Amino acid sequence: MPERASTTPRQLLRWARRVVAVLVSGCALLGVVRVVAPATGGVDGEPGGVRGQLAFIRAALDEGAGDEAQQQFPEGYFFLHALYGLSWVEWGMREPVGEARDEALREARWALARLDSAAGRAAFSPGLTPSYGVFYRGWTNWLRGGTLMLRPDGERDPAQVRRFAADSAALGAAFEESASPYLTAYPGQAWPVDSTVAVASLRLHDTLLPARFGGTVDRWLDGVRQRLDPRTGLLPHRVSPDTGEPVEVARGTSQSIIQRFLVDIDPAFAREQYTRFRERYVVTPLGLGPTTREYPEGRDGPADVDSGPLPLGVSLSATVVTLGAAQVQGDASLAEGIANYGELLGVPVSTPWTKRYAFGLVPIGDAFVAWSKTARPWVTEPSEPPPAHLSSWWRLPLLSLLLLIGVVPWVPALRRQRLAKIGSQRPGE
Protein backbone atom coordinates (compact mmCIF):
# COMPACT_ATOMS: atom_id res chain seq x y z
CA MET A 1 0.00 0.00 0.00
CA PRO A 2 1.28 3.50 -0.71
CA GLU A 3 2.21 5.48 2.39
CA ARG A 4 -0.14 8.30 3.38
CA ALA A 5 1.55 11.64 2.89
CA SER A 6 2.29 13.35 6.19
CA THR A 7 0.97 16.82 6.92
CA THR A 8 3.67 19.41 6.37
CA PRO A 9 4.27 22.44 8.63
CA ARG A 10 3.17 24.65 5.75
CA GLN A 11 -0.17 22.83 5.55
CA LEU A 12 -0.64 23.08 9.31
CA LEU A 13 0.02 26.81 9.14
CA ARG A 14 -2.45 27.15 6.29
CA TRP A 15 -5.18 25.36 8.27
CA ALA A 16 -4.43 27.45 11.37
CA ARG A 17 -4.80 30.61 9.30
CA ARG A 18 -8.15 29.40 7.98
CA VAL A 19 -9.40 28.62 11.49
CA VAL A 20 -8.36 32.06 12.70
CA ALA A 21 -9.98 33.69 9.67
CA VAL A 22 -13.24 31.84 10.30
CA LEU A 23 -13.23 32.84 13.97
CA VAL A 24 -12.49 36.49 13.23
CA SER A 25 -15.11 36.67 10.50
CA GLY A 26 -17.64 34.92 12.73
CA CYS A 27 -17.02 37.44 15.51
CA ALA A 28 -17.38 40.30 13.05
CA LEU A 29 -20.67 38.87 11.80
CA LEU A 30 -21.91 38.49 15.38
CA GLY A 31 -20.93 42.11 15.95
CA VAL A 32 -23.01 43.19 12.96
CA VAL A 33 -26.03 41.36 14.35
CA ARG A 34 -25.61 42.99 17.75
CA VAL A 35 -25.32 46.44 16.21
CA VAL A 36 -28.52 46.14 14.15
CA ALA A 37 -30.81 43.78 16.11
CA PRO A 38 -33.38 45.43 18.45
CA ALA A 39 -31.81 45.74 21.91
CA THR A 40 -34.45 47.57 23.93
CA GLY A 41 -38.22 47.57 24.10
CA GLY A 42 -39.06 51.19 24.90
CA VAL A 43 -41.28 52.14 27.84
CA ASP A 44 -43.92 49.50 27.13
CA GLY A 45 -42.27 46.62 25.29
CA GLU A 46 -40.35 43.75 26.81
CA PRO A 47 -36.66 44.71 27.12
CA GLY A 48 -34.72 41.91 25.47
CA GLY A 49 -32.43 39.90 27.71
CA VAL A 50 -33.37 41.63 30.95
CA ARG A 51 -35.25 38.63 32.36
CA GLY A 52 -32.08 36.58 32.00
CA GLN A 53 -30.03 39.38 33.56
CA LEU A 54 -32.31 39.47 36.59
CA ALA A 55 -31.91 35.71 37.01
CA PHE A 56 -28.14 36.12 36.91
CA ILE A 57 -28.16 39.05 39.35
CA ARG A 58 -30.37 37.21 41.85
CA ALA A 59 -28.07 34.18 41.78
CA ALA A 60 -25.07 36.47 42.25
CA LEU A 61 -26.75 38.20 45.20
CA ASP A 62 -27.50 34.85 46.79
CA GLU A 63 -23.79 34.05 46.51
CA GLY A 64 -22.67 37.26 48.23
CA ALA A 65 -22.30 39.70 45.33
CA GLY A 66 -23.72 42.50 47.48
CA ASP A 67 -20.89 42.27 49.99
CA GLU A 68 -18.34 42.06 47.18
CA ALA A 69 -19.83 45.15 45.53
CA GLN A 70 -19.54 47.05 48.81
CA GLN A 71 -15.80 46.44 48.78
CA GLN A 72 -15.59 47.93 45.29
CA PHE A 73 -17.97 50.91 45.54
CA PRO A 74 -19.07 53.19 48.43
CA GLU A 75 -22.73 52.18 48.04
CA GLY A 76 -22.15 48.87 46.24
CA TYR A 77 -24.34 46.69 48.47
CA PHE A 78 -27.13 49.24 48.45
CA PHE A 79 -27.09 49.98 44.73
CA LEU A 80 -26.94 46.34 43.64
CA HIS A 81 -30.03 45.47 45.67
CA ALA A 82 -31.87 48.72 44.88
CA LEU A 83 -31.39 48.46 41.12
CA TYR A 84 -32.37 44.81 41.17
CA GLY A 85 -35.61 45.68 42.96
CA LEU A 86 -36.35 48.70 40.76
CA SER A 87 -35.83 46.68 37.58
CA TRP A 88 -38.38 44.17 38.81
CA VAL A 89 -40.83 46.98 39.58
CA GLU A 90 -40.53 48.34 36.06
CA TRP A 91 -40.74 44.84 34.60
CA GLY A 92 -43.91 44.27 36.61
CA MET A 93 -45.44 47.50 35.33
CA ARG A 94 -45.32 45.97 31.85
CA GLU A 95 -47.22 42.88 32.97
CA PRO A 96 -50.96 42.51 33.58
CA VAL A 97 -52.14 41.55 37.04
CA GLY A 98 -51.31 37.90 37.49
CA GLU A 99 -48.43 35.51 38.10
CA ALA A 100 -45.78 37.57 36.31
CA ARG A 101 -46.61 40.72 38.26
CA ASP A 102 -46.73 38.72 41.50
CA GLU A 103 -43.20 37.49 40.81
CA ALA A 104 -42.04 41.06 40.17
CA LEU A 105 -43.57 42.25 43.44
CA ARG A 106 -42.07 39.36 45.38
CA GLU A 107 -38.55 40.06 44.09
CA ALA A 108 -38.85 43.83 44.58
CA ARG A 109 -39.97 43.30 48.19
CA TRP A 110 -37.08 40.91 48.72
CA ALA A 111 -34.65 43.63 47.59
CA LEU A 112 -36.39 46.26 49.73
CA ALA A 113 -36.10 44.06 52.82
CA ARG A 114 -32.33 43.93 52.34
CA LEU A 115 -32.14 47.70 52.08
CA ASP A 116 -34.14 47.86 55.30
CA SER A 117 -31.54 45.71 57.06
CA ALA A 118 -28.47 46.63 59.09
CA ALA A 119 -26.32 45.71 56.08
CA GLY A 120 -28.34 48.03 53.86
CA ARG A 121 -27.89 50.96 56.27
CA ALA A 122 -24.29 50.21 57.24
CA ALA A 123 -22.70 52.81 54.94
CA PHE A 124 -24.93 55.67 56.14
CA SER A 125 -25.10 57.90 59.21
CA PRO A 126 -28.21 57.71 61.47
CA GLY A 127 -27.48 61.23 62.80
CA LEU A 128 -28.36 63.03 59.55
CA THR A 129 -31.66 64.72 58.70
CA PRO A 130 -33.52 62.70 57.64
CA SER A 131 -31.90 59.75 59.42
CA TYR A 132 -29.32 57.91 57.31
CA GLY A 133 -29.27 60.77 54.82
CA VAL A 134 -31.12 61.69 51.68
CA PHE A 135 -29.37 59.09 49.51
CA TYR A 136 -30.58 56.18 51.62
CA ARG A 137 -34.01 57.58 52.35
CA GLY A 138 -34.70 58.76 48.80
CA TRP A 139 -33.85 55.53 46.98
CA THR A 140 -35.61 53.29 49.53
CA ASN A 141 -38.69 55.50 49.44
CA TRP A 142 -38.76 55.34 45.64
CA LEU A 143 -38.48 51.54 45.69
CA ARG A 144 -41.09 51.18 48.41
CA GLY A 145 -43.49 53.33 46.41
CA GLY A 146 -42.72 51.17 43.38
CA THR A 147 -43.79 48.03 45.20
CA LEU A 148 -47.08 49.74 46.08
CA MET A 149 -47.64 50.60 42.40
CA LEU A 150 -47.70 46.90 41.54
CA ARG A 151 -50.92 46.47 43.51
CA PRO A 152 -54.20 48.33 42.92
CA ASP A 153 -55.47 50.64 45.63
CA GLY A 154 -57.21 48.56 48.28
CA GLU A 155 -54.91 45.56 47.82
CA ARG A 156 -51.69 47.17 49.05
CA ASP A 157 -49.93 46.04 52.19
CA PRO A 158 -51.18 48.46 54.89
CA ALA A 159 -47.86 48.33 56.76
CA GLN A 160 -45.94 49.31 53.64
CA VAL A 161 -48.43 52.10 52.90
CA ARG A 162 -47.92 53.52 56.40
CA ARG A 163 -44.15 53.24 56.08
CA PHE A 164 -44.18 54.96 52.70
CA ALA A 165 -46.33 57.80 54.09
CA ALA A 166 -44.09 58.19 57.15
CA ASP A 167 -40.83 58.18 55.21
CA SER A 168 -42.25 60.65 52.69
CA ALA A 169 -43.28 62.92 55.57
CA ALA A 170 -39.76 62.76 57.00
CA LEU A 171 -38.26 63.69 53.66
CA GLY A 172 -40.78 66.47 53.11
CA ALA A 173 -40.07 67.95 56.56
CA ALA A 174 -36.31 67.82 55.92
CA PHE A 175 -36.68 69.73 52.67
CA GLU A 176 -38.97 72.30 54.32
CA GLU A 177 -36.47 72.94 57.10
CA SER A 178 -33.41 73.16 54.84
CA ALA A 179 -32.03 76.43 53.50
CA SER A 180 -30.67 74.44 50.55
CA PRO A 181 -32.67 72.35 48.07
CA TYR A 182 -30.01 69.68 48.47
CA LEU A 183 -29.93 67.59 51.63
CA THR A 184 -26.83 65.80 52.86
CA ALA A 185 -26.15 62.17 51.97
CA TYR A 186 -23.10 61.90 54.24
CA PRO A 187 -21.97 64.25 57.02
CA GLY A 188 -20.97 67.55 55.40
CA GLN A 189 -21.50 66.31 51.83
CA ALA A 190 -24.34 66.91 49.40
CA TRP A 191 -24.95 65.83 45.82
CA PRO A 192 -28.01 67.14 43.90
CA VAL A 193 -28.67 63.74 42.32
CA ASP A 194 -29.61 62.28 45.72
CA SER A 195 -32.16 64.97 46.46
CA THR A 196 -33.60 64.59 42.94
CA VAL A 197 -34.42 60.95 43.65
CA ALA A 198 -35.98 61.89 46.99
CA VAL A 199 -38.16 64.63 45.50
CA ALA A 200 -39.33 62.24 42.77
CA SER A 201 -40.46 59.91 45.56
CA LEU A 202 -42.58 62.76 46.98
CA ARG A 203 -44.24 63.17 43.59
CA LEU A 204 -44.85 59.42 43.64
CA HIS A 205 -46.43 59.75 47.09
CA ASP A 206 -48.87 62.36 45.78
CA THR A 207 -49.80 59.99 42.95
CA LEU A 208 -50.48 56.98 45.17
CA LEU A 209 -51.80 58.66 48.34
CA PRO A 210 -53.62 61.90 49.16
CA ALA A 211 -51.46 64.76 47.87
CA ARG A 212 -49.51 66.80 50.41
CA PHE A 213 -46.10 67.69 48.94
CA GLY A 214 -46.97 69.89 45.95
CA GLY A 215 -45.72 73.06 47.66
CA THR A 216 -42.55 71.32 48.87
CA VAL A 217 -41.73 70.18 45.34
CA ASP A 218 -42.44 73.61 43.84
CA ARG A 219 -40.13 75.29 46.37
CA TRP A 220 -37.48 72.69 45.63
CA LEU A 221 -37.68 73.44 41.92
CA ASP A 222 -37.36 77.18 42.56
CA GLY A 223 -34.27 76.59 44.67
CA VAL A 224 -32.76 74.34 42.03
CA ARG A 225 -33.26 76.87 39.24
CA GLN A 226 -31.45 79.48 41.32
CA ARG A 227 -28.41 77.22 41.83
CA LEU A 228 -27.68 75.71 38.43
CA ASP A 229 -24.10 75.09 37.38
CA PRO A 230 -23.12 78.36 35.62
CA ARG A 231 -20.89 76.53 33.12
CA THR A 232 -23.52 74.14 31.79
CA GLY A 233 -26.92 75.36 33.00
CA LEU A 234 -27.47 71.92 34.58
CA LEU A 235 -27.77 70.72 38.15
CA PRO A 236 -24.22 70.61 39.52
CA HIS A 237 -22.47 67.42 40.53
CA ARG A 238 -21.65 68.49 44.08
CA VAL A 239 -22.74 71.49 46.15
CA SER A 240 -22.08 73.26 49.43
CA PRO A 241 -24.07 71.37 52.08
CA ASP A 242 -25.08 74.64 53.76
CA THR A 243 -26.16 76.83 50.84
CA GLY A 244 -26.57 74.44 47.92
CA GLU A 245 -24.29 76.58 45.78
CA PRO A 246 -22.37 74.64 43.09
CA VAL A 247 -18.84 73.56 43.93
CA GLU A 248 -18.29 71.07 41.11
CA VAL A 249 -19.29 71.16 37.44
CA ALA A 250 -22.13 68.94 36.26
CA ARG A 251 -20.83 65.43 35.54
CA GLY A 252 -22.15 62.60 33.44
CA THR A 253 -22.41 59.99 36.20
CA SER A 254 -24.83 62.09 38.23
CA GLN A 255 -26.52 63.84 35.29
CA SER A 256 -27.58 60.57 33.70
CA ILE A 257 -29.43 59.63 36.90
CA ILE A 258 -30.84 63.14 37.38
CA GLN A 259 -32.31 63.06 33.86
CA ARG A 260 -33.90 59.71 34.67
CA PHE A 261 -35.84 61.16 37.65
CA LEU A 262 -36.53 64.79 36.69
CA VAL A 263 -39.18 63.71 34.19
CA ASP A 264 -41.37 62.53 37.10
CA ILE A 265 -40.91 65.83 38.97
CA ASP A 266 -41.47 68.46 36.27
CA PRO A 267 -41.63 67.25 32.65
CA ALA A 268 -41.06 70.70 31.10
CA PHE A 269 -38.00 71.46 33.24
CA ALA A 270 -36.81 67.92 32.64
CA ARG A 271 -36.96 68.37 28.86
CA GLU A 272 -34.92 71.60 29.11
CA GLN A 273 -32.30 69.90 31.26
CA TYR A 274 -32.19 66.76 29.13
CA THR A 275 -31.64 68.75 25.94
CA ARG A 276 -28.75 70.65 27.54
CA PHE A 277 -27.26 67.45 28.89
CA ARG A 278 -27.50 65.71 25.55
CA GLU A 279 -25.83 68.60 23.72
CA ARG A 280 -22.87 68.85 26.10
CA TYR A 281 -22.26 65.24 27.15
CA VAL A 282 -23.52 62.75 24.54
CA VAL A 283 -20.82 62.20 21.91
CA THR A 284 -19.65 59.62 19.35
CA PRO A 285 -15.87 59.29 19.82
CA LEU A 286 -14.08 58.23 16.63
CA GLY A 287 -17.50 58.29 14.97
CA LEU A 288 -18.25 54.74 16.14
CA GLY A 289 -21.14 54.92 18.58
CA PRO A 290 -23.03 57.05 21.16
CA THR A 291 -21.44 57.46 24.56
CA THR A 292 -21.60 59.87 27.51
CA ARG A 293 -18.73 62.05 28.64
CA GLU A 294 -18.05 62.47 32.34
CA TYR A 295 -17.23 66.15 31.87
CA PRO A 296 -18.75 68.54 29.31
CA GLU A 297 -17.12 68.81 25.91
CA GLY A 298 -14.07 71.03 26.05
CA ARG A 299 -13.32 70.14 29.66
CA ASP A 300 -11.56 67.16 31.21
CA GLY A 301 -11.18 66.04 34.78
CA PRO A 302 -10.10 63.13 36.95
CA ALA A 303 -11.82 59.75 37.02
CA ASP A 304 -13.16 58.32 40.25
CA VAL A 305 -14.83 55.16 41.53
CA ASP A 306 -18.24 56.27 40.19
CA SER A 307 -17.12 57.21 36.69
CA GLY A 308 -14.61 54.43 36.22
CA PRO A 309 -11.80 54.92 33.68
CA LEU A 310 -12.39 57.72 31.17
CA PRO A 311 -11.09 56.67 27.74
CA LEU A 312 -11.46 59.66 25.43
CA GLY A 313 -13.31 61.35 28.29
CA VAL A 314 -16.15 58.79 28.21
CA SER A 315 -17.68 57.16 31.29
CA LEU A 316 -19.06 53.69 30.61
CA SER A 317 -21.29 53.80 33.68
CA ALA A 318 -22.78 57.17 32.67
CA THR A 319 -23.33 55.86 29.15
CA VAL A 320 -25.34 52.89 30.44
CA VAL A 321 -27.55 55.08 32.64
CA THR A 322 -28.06 57.58 29.81
CA LEU A 323 -29.87 54.78 27.96
CA GLY A 324 -32.57 54.92 30.64
CA ALA A 325 -32.66 58.71 30.65
CA ALA A 326 -33.19 58.74 26.89
CA GLN A 327 -35.90 56.12 27.14
CA VAL A 328 -38.00 58.01 29.70
CA GLN A 329 -37.69 61.11 27.51
CA GLY A 330 -38.99 59.24 24.47
CA ASP A 331 -35.60 59.62 22.77
CA ALA A 332 -35.85 56.20 21.15
CA SER A 333 -33.03 56.66 18.63
CA LEU A 334 -30.48 57.45 21.32
CA ALA A 335 -31.72 54.73 23.69
CA GLU A 336 -31.57 52.14 20.92
CA GLY A 337 -28.19 53.41 19.75
CA ILE A 338 -26.61 53.09 23.21
CA ALA A 339 -28.24 49.68 23.69
CA ASN A 340 -26.87 48.36 20.39
CA TYR A 341 -23.41 49.77 21.03
CA GLY A 342 -23.49 48.16 24.46
CA GLU A 343 -24.42 44.79 22.96
CA LEU A 344 -21.26 45.03 20.87
CA LEU A 345 -18.82 46.33 23.49
CA GLY A 346 -20.33 44.75 26.60
CA VAL A 347 -19.38 41.18 25.63
CA PRO A 348 -22.75 39.69 26.65
CA VAL A 349 -22.88 35.97 27.36
CA SER A 350 -26.27 34.26 27.24
CA THR A 351 -27.56 30.86 28.28
CA PRO A 352 -31.14 29.58 28.05
CA TRP A 353 -31.68 30.95 31.58
CA THR A 354 -29.35 33.89 32.13
CA LYS A 355 -27.58 36.78 30.47
CA ARG A 356 -24.58 38.70 31.77
CA TYR A 357 -22.24 41.37 30.46
CA ALA A 358 -18.43 41.44 30.75
CA PHE A 359 -18.60 37.70 31.52
CA GLY A 360 -20.50 38.51 34.72
CA LEU A 361 -17.38 39.85 36.45
CA VAL A 362 -19.14 42.99 37.74
CA PRO A 363 -22.79 42.20 38.63
CA ILE A 364 -23.50 45.81 39.58
CA GLY A 365 -22.84 46.68 35.94
CA ASP A 366 -25.52 44.20 34.91
CA ALA A 367 -27.87 45.81 37.44
CA PHE A 368 -27.39 49.23 35.86
CA VAL A 369 -27.99 47.79 32.37
CA ALA A 370 -31.19 46.03 33.48
CA TRP A 371 -32.45 49.14 35.25
CA SER A 372 -31.73 51.27 32.20
CA LYS A 373 -33.45 48.93 29.76
CA THR A 374 -36.60 48.76 31.89
CA ALA A 375 -36.76 52.58 32.26
CA ARG A 376 -40.18 54.22 32.09
CA PRO A 377 -41.85 57.25 33.71
CA TRP A 378 -43.69 56.35 36.92
CA VAL A 379 -45.68 59.52 37.60
CA THR A 380 -46.04 61.34 34.28
CA GLU A 381 -47.23 60.11 30.91
CA PRO A 382 -44.57 59.48 28.24
CA SER A 383 -43.91 62.75 26.45
CA GLU A 384 -43.43 63.53 22.79
CA PRO A 385 -39.92 62.60 21.65
CA PRO A 386 -37.37 65.40 21.41
CA PRO A 387 -35.68 66.21 18.10
CA ALA A 388 -33.26 63.43 17.22
CA HIS A 389 -29.71 63.95 18.40
CA LEU A 390 -28.20 60.76 17.01
CA SER A 391 -27.95 60.44 13.23
CA SER A 392 -29.85 57.54 11.71
CA TRP A 393 -26.58 56.74 9.91
CA TRP A 394 -24.52 56.35 13.08
CA ARG A 395 -24.13 52.59 12.51
CA LEU A 396 -22.51 52.99 9.09
CA PRO A 397 -18.89 53.62 10.25
CA LEU A 398 -19.16 50.82 12.79
CA LEU A 399 -20.59 48.36 10.28
CA SER A 400 -17.87 49.34 7.81
CA LEU A 401 -15.22 48.64 10.44
CA LEU A 402 -16.77 45.26 11.26
CA LEU A 403 -16.90 44.39 7.56
CA LEU A 404 -13.23 45.29 7.22
CA ILE A 405 -12.33 43.16 10.25
CA GLY A 406 -14.28 40.25 8.80
CA VAL A 407 -12.61 40.48 5.38
CA VAL A 408 -8.97 41.22 6.29
CA PRO A 409 -8.08 37.67 7.48
CA TRP A 410 -9.01 36.31 4.04
CA VAL A 411 -6.90 38.79 2.03
CA PRO A 412 -3.66 36.69 2.03
CA ALA A 413 -5.52 33.57 0.81
CA LEU A 414 -7.36 35.55 -1.85
CA ARG A 415 -4.06 37.08 -2.97
CA ARG A 416 -2.41 33.66 -3.22
CA GLN A 417 -5.31 32.33 -5.27
CA ARG A 418 -5.10 35.30 -7.61
CA LEU A 419 -1.35 34.89 -8.11
CA ALA A 420 -1.76 31.17 -8.71
CA LYS A 421 -4.45 31.85 -11.31
CA ILE A 422 -2.26 34.41 -13.06
CA GLY A 423 0.64 31.95 -13.07
CA SER A 424 -1.47 29.17 -14.58
CA GLN A 425 -2.53 31.49 -17.43
CA ARG A 426 1.00 32.37 -18.56
CA PRO A 427 1.74 31.21 -22.14
CA GLY A 428 4.01 28.21 -22.60
CA GLU A 429 3.26 26.77 -19.17
Side-chain angles (χ1 to χ4, degrees), residues 32-345:
V32 169
V33 172
R34 288 177 172 173
V35 168
V36 300
T40 185
V43 297
D44 294 316
E46 180 177 323
V50 168
R51 186 64 180 83
Q53 280 189 274
L54 293 174
F56 162 69
I57 296 167
R58 176 58 193 265
L61 286 169
D62 289 341
E63 295 173 1
D67 294 326
E68 294 175 6
Q70 187 60 40
Q71 297 174 10
Q72 300 170 331
F73 308 98
E75 299 97 7
Y77 179 97
F78 184 96
F79 253 140
L80 187 49
H81 285 89
L83 297 178
Y84 175 76
L86 291 171
S87 298
W88 269 114
V89 168
E90 295 181 326
W91 180 279
M93 290 178 183
R94 291 168 163 82
E95 299 290 341
V97 175
E99 184 176 342
R101 182 170 282 209
D102 289 344
E103 180 187 18
L105 179 59
R106 184 171 60 252
E107 292 300 310
R109 284 177 171 172
W110 178 86
L112 180 61
R114 272 134 189 87
L115 300 185
D116 260 337
S117 68
R121 293 187 292 268
F124 308 100
S125 173
L128 297 176
T129 302
S131 59
Y132 299 102
V134 70
F135 176 97
Y136 177 83
R137 297 295 288 273
W139 282 94
T140 53
N141 207 46
W142 182 254
L143 176 55
R144 196 181 310 278
T147 65
L148 297 179
M149 291 183 71
L150 295 180
R151 279 284 181 266
D153 191 15
E155 297 182 17
R156 296 168 182 154
D157 182 343
Q160 291 297 328
V161 172
R162 289 193 296 270
R163 178 68 182 277
F164 181 58
D167 286 358
S168 296
L171 281 167
F175 279 112
E176 289 291 337
E177 295 168 4
S178 174
S180 165
Y182 305 124
L183 305 180
T184 54
Y186 295 97
Q189 300 181 79
W191 291 267
V193 60
D194 303 325
S195 291
T196 304
V197 177
V199 171
S201 78
L202 298 184
R203 283 289 199 211
L204 181 59
H205 171 281
D206 285 3
T207 301
L208 298 174
L209 302 178
R212 59 178 295 188
F213 298 112
T216 301
V217 174
D218 289 343
R219 282 187 289 275
W220 183 83
L221 286 166
D222 288 340
V224 166
R225 290 188 176 97
Q226 296 169 19
R227 295 170 175 84
L228 296 175
D229 168 28
R231 286 157 289 193
T232 62
L234 298 167
L235 276 69
H237 180 68
R238 188 166 53 89
V239 297
S240 164
D242 299 320
T243 65
E245 293 300 323
V247 297
E248 189 172 358
V249 68
R251 289 176 52 178
T253 44
S254 58
Q255 276 300 311
S256 54
I257 297 177
I258 288 170
Q259 304 307 325
R260 174 78 181 263
F261 285 92
L262 270 183
V263 70
D264 280 320
I265 299 174
D266 185 315
F269 181 56
R271 177 56 58 87
E272 295 172 7
Q273 289 286 293
Y274 175 74
T275 302
R276 285 179 179 270
F277 163 69
R278 200 176 60 170
E279 290 174 351
R280 299 294 301 274
Y281 291 81
V282 177
V283 295
T284 54
L286 307 179
L288 296 181
T291 56
T292 302
R293 290 182 54 85
E294 178 63 7
Y295 297 91
E297 282 196 283
R299 180 187 179 98
D300 291 311
D304 59 22
V305 68
D306 292 324
S307 69
L310 299 177
L312 302 176
V314 166
S315 167
L316 299 182
S317 60
T319 300
V320 169
V321 181
T322 297
L323 190 166
Q327 192 157 287
V328 299
Q329 282 285 345
D331 193 354
S333 63
L334 180 56
E336 292 167 1
I338 294 175
N340 281 126
Y341 202 34
E343 290 299 306
L344 177 67
L345 300 185

